[in-house]
Amino acid sequence: MSAPPKSFAPKDPVDLAPPKDDPISPTVLASANGATPETPIFVAIKGTVFDVSGNRSSYGPGGAYHVFAGKDASRGLAKSSVKPEDAVSEWEDLDDKEKGVLEEWYNFFSKRYNIVGRIPK
């Protein structure tokens, strides 16, 4: 896994809904893991929850990034790691380079996936 391309714009334009600021509990986030074809898939970055259901091949069961499904994946994205132990929300202690990579991932997601809410602090 590597950082997203510097050009954050998708190849084909994505029609995104206005971002939502609805509170999403950790329990609701965890249940949005794509376990069944009807189950949505959410991935959070720095507490912002994205609906990645449209990319089930990557985030659904068997997908390369399924480890992030139903979680705040901030640390794993920042470290370019798909290790389960890195798929956690703690990112504040990362070095500046890793924080920069995390910000790149946030920008990448924000141009492709709807923001459906936030995890309350």
Side-chain angles (χ1 to χ4, degrees), residues 2 5 16 18 51 58 63 68-69 71-72 76 81 83 89 92-93 101 103-104 115 117:
S2 59
L16 297 174
D51 183 346
S58 293
F68 300 141
K71 298 182 175 99
D72 186 317
S81 169
K83 294 177 183 175
S89 61
E92 292 87 354
D93 65 329
V101 170
E103 193 59 31
E104 290 172 5
I115 295 174

Side-chain angles (χ1 to χ4, degrees), residues 9 16 29 54 68 81 98 105 118 121:
L16 297 174
L29 176 63
F68 300 141
S81 169
E98 290 169 327
W105 276 114
R118 292 200 54 76
K121 294 182 180 186

Side-chain angles (χ1 to χ4, degrees), residues 10-63:
K11 292 177 198 165
D12 299 315
V14 178
D15 186 24
L16 297 174
K20 294 183 180 177
D21 199 33
D22 299 338
I24 295 180
S25 72
T27 303
V28 170
L29 176 63
S31 70
N33 62 7
T36 69
E38 299 79 31
T39 307
I41 306 172
F42 293 168
V43 173
I45 301 174
K46 298 194 297 184
T48 299
V49 181
F50 295 89
D51 183 346
V52 300
S53 302
N55 194 355
R56 197 167 284 276
S57 63
S58 293
Y59 295 97

